[in-house]
Amino acid sequence: MVSSQDQGPSMTGFSHYRTAFWAIATREVLRFVHQRERFIAALVRPLVWLLVFAAGFRAALGLSITPPYQTYITYETYIVPGLCGMILLFNGMQSSLSLVYDREMGSMRLLLTAPLPRWFLLFSKLCGATFIGILQCYAFLGIAAVFGITLPPLGYVAVFPALLLAGLMLGALGLALSSFIKQLENFAGVMNFVIFPMFFLSSALYPLWKMAESSELLHDICAANPFTYAVELIRFALYQQMNLAAFAWTSLAMICFLALAMWGYDPSRSKSS
Amino acid sequence: MTLQVSNLSFSYGPKQALKDVNLSVEQGQFAALLGPNGAGKSTFFALLTRLLTAKSGEITVAGYDLSASPQAALAQMGIVFQKPTLDLDLSVRQNLSYFAALHGLSGKLANRRIDAALDRLNMVERSGEKVRALNGGHRRRTELARALIHNPSVLLLDEPTVGLDAESRKDITDHVHSLACSGMTVLWATHLTDEIQMTDQLVLLHQGQILQDGMAKDLCDGLDLQTWFLAKTKAPA
């Protein structure tokens, strides 16, 4: 018998990892390109919130000056980072849905039997999905600018790493969920129990201090929600500021969700004895 | 031995799917894993391909222990799954390129291997077509071509002819037999006896246990294979 330790890049080679990473990520993008409806739906959803919901709410909700803003802002401006977060959240869940679909249809087997560590294969898939989410965010920011909701020019550049981290965190959540959801039919539950609570119990639509005025409990829940920190990370980055607490919490949540996903996809966790 | 399985057992909760399975397949041998539906063939394949892992038993592929060196062992395997695993919206070549990249092949080397694999399966003229446009037989041939790109030592096929017409079944069965003749080790799971030749190694799996293992011509002892199979699997194991 051959005795070998073949877990690391030393045996299979760095170029193998690079080639596989590129192929997996490109395939995710290609799949997205083939689904034009998904791209349109991904843009229509936040645009409806921005152009309809926010317009209606503008009169009802007064916003005082809080960091990172240095002046009074319109409600539309306030919810732009939250809607970027919403795009990434939906994108993460969409990629989770496609993972469950892949597993039911069998195509996930091809990926999981590739001669590379499973964590690397799943991480490559996660990166591809995150890249798609970032593309959608930039398309959304572009359309928002056309409608007059603009941000500091350098903010569009500075927000990239924030979108990347937030996208990876939410994608990792989707990955973790997909390892526990066994059937496509169960996915509706994700909408009710993950997406909506995460989005509404966050600072995406209203600042936390505003939430505290109505309920301390709700405020505390919002403050514990990792999505809140993803949104705040994006919000500060758009104004070229670093929110260290948001960065730390988003990173921590990403690591936890990734660890959960890797545990969920561990073949030895199957119901065996 | 190119493929060696020792004392392999697996349970889904309280339900035992495989019990103390032992199997050896030598290089260049076509081994047919014959069993009725529910015998445990797909579970066995999931364990061989590390989609599942068992707490007891050992699997060795081309000298590599699957649990100690999973990547090295997987690199030696070509796999055709029971369920189709092609991306319908990509072309045949794109599907093969994706697989080649997963095995670390890119550029000219990958193209050469893909061309050779397509040529072997008479699929060259279809390489630009989207998989969605192919019939079942061509899809299966594409999957077989894909499984050969990285020159595996062991080819695993889990009921690869399910849903195909008689001609496509015969084409694929004959082709895989010819691969074994050229030195590749083949494990072919099936419940169809007409896919097995008398010179094949025949492994009968029933209710999670191996009932018989030997050369088909020796086991049948003059009996028609179908009759033998039905007689062996009629009584409880």
Side-chain angles (χ1 to χ4, degrees), chain A residues 57-58 60-66 69 71-79 205-210 235:
Chain A
F57 248 57
R58 186 200 297 199
L61 196 71
L63 292 174
S64 61
I65 303 168
T66 52
Y69 307 110
T71 178
Y72 284 102
I73 49 156
T74 61
Y75 185 60
E76 286 96 325
T77 305
Y78 177 80
I79 68 165
L205 297 178
Y206 14 73
L208 289 192
W209 62 264
K210 202 85 177 165
R235 189 187 309 285

Side-chain angles (χ1 to χ4, degrees), chain A residues 151-172:
Chain A
L151 300 155
L154 276 176
Y156 290 102
V157 181
V159 79
F160 179 81
L163 291 176
L164 181 65
L165 183 60
L168 285 173
M169 186 270 280
L170 295 166

Side-chain angles (χ1 to χ4, degrees), chain A residues 1-212:
Chain A
M1 188 185 299
V2 178
S3 69
S4 72
Q5 291 296 321
D6 62 334
Q7 303 292 328
S10 55
M11 178 172 171
T12 47
F14 175 72
S15 66
H16 183 177
Y17 280 72
R18 191 187 54 206
T19 304
F21 177 86
W22 187 247
I24 296 166
T26 308
R27 187 169 187 249
E28 286 298 300
V29 175
L30 268 179
R31 179 185 258 189
F32 179 69
V33 169
H34 288 144
Q35 299 170 339
R36 280 187 208 125
E37 301 83 1
R38 185 177 153 196
F39 186 64
I40 293 165
L43 283 180
V44 166
R45 196 182 303 114
L47 284 172
V48 167
W49 279 88
L50 184 68
L51 303 175
V52 181
F53 177 84
F57 248 57
R58 186 200 297 199
L61 196 71
L63 292 174
S64 61
I65 303 168
T66 52
Y69 307 110
Q70 291 169 344
T71 178
Y72 284 102
I73 49 156
T74 61
Y75 185 60
E76 286 96 325
T77 305
Y78 177 80
I79 68 165
V80 163
L83 295 178
C84 284
M86 178 204 240
I87 291 170
L88 296 173
L89 177 63
F90 269 87
N91 186 65
M93 295 310 121
Q94 178 83 39
S95 55
S96 164
L97 177 67
S98 66
L99 280 164
V100 176
Y101 178 82
D102 280 357
R103 202 175 48 220
E104 278 213 343
M105 294 298 117
S107 48
M108 190 72 172
R109 290 171 175 228
L110 189 70
L111 184 72
L112 297 182
T113 53
L116 286 166
R118 195 166 278 198
W119 66 264
F120 177 79
L121 297 164
L122 293 171
F123 182 71
S124 303
K125 209 165 168 62
L126 173 62
C127 288
T130 304
F131 178 69
I132 293 164
I134 293 173
L135 276 184
Q136 291 171 28
C137 284
Y138 274 108
F140 166 71
L141 289 171
I143 297 172
V146 170
F147 282 95
I149 303 154
T150 54
L151 300 155
L154 276 176
Y156 290 102
V157 181
V159 79
F160 179 81
L163 291 176
L164 181 65
L165 183 60
L168 285 173
M169 186 270 280
L170 295 166
L173 172 64
L175 199 59
L177 288 171
S178 72
S179 68
F180 298 103
I181 300 168
K182 298 298 173 203
Q183 290 171 322
L184 274 179
E185 290 77 11
N186 298 340
F187 211 81
V190 173
M191 291 289 285
N192 293 327
F193 293 107
V194 178
I195 294 182
F196 292 141
M198 265 196 122
F199 182 63
F200 288 112
L201 289 168
S202 76
S203 61
L205 297 178
Y206 14 73
L208 289 192
W209 62 264
K210 202 85 177 165
M211 187 62 102

Side-chain angles (χ1 to χ4, degrees), chain A residues 1-8 11-12 15-17 19-20 23-24 27 30-31 34 103-118 121 125 266-273, chain B residues 9-13 49-53 55-56 58 60 62-65 68-75 79 81 83-87 89-90 94-95 98-99 101-106 130 146:
Chain A
M1 188 185 299
V2 178
S3 69
S4 72
Q5 291 296 321
D6 62 334
Q7 303 292 328
M11 178 172 171
T12 47
S15 66
H16 183 177
Y17 280 72
T19 304
I24 296 166
R27 187 169 187 249
L30 268 179
R31 179 185 258 189
H34 288 144
R103 202 175 48 220
E104 278 213 343
M105 294 298 117
S107 48
M108 190 72 172
R109 290 171 175 228
L110 189 70
L111 184 72
L112 297 182
T113 53
L116 286 166
R118 195 166 278 198
L121 297 164
K125 209 165 168 62
D266 182 352
S268 61
R269 205 185 62 84
S270 52
K271 291 172 188 168
S272 61
S273 62
Chain B
S9 296
F10 187 85
S11 301
Y12 294 102
T49 54
R50 208 172 168 263
L51 289 168
L52 296 172
T53 55
K55 288 189 178 124
S56 66
E58 271 184 21
T60 309
Y64 293 101
D65 184 325
S69 309
Q71 277 85 60
L74 286 168
I79 309 164
F81 294 103
K83 280 186 178 179
T85 55
L86 294 166
D87 191 326
D89 292 316
L90 298 184
Q94 283 173 324
N95 267 286
Y98 173 66
F99 178 83
L102 291 179
H103 281 260
L105 301 169
S106 61
K130 282 204 174 169
R146 185 180 63 185

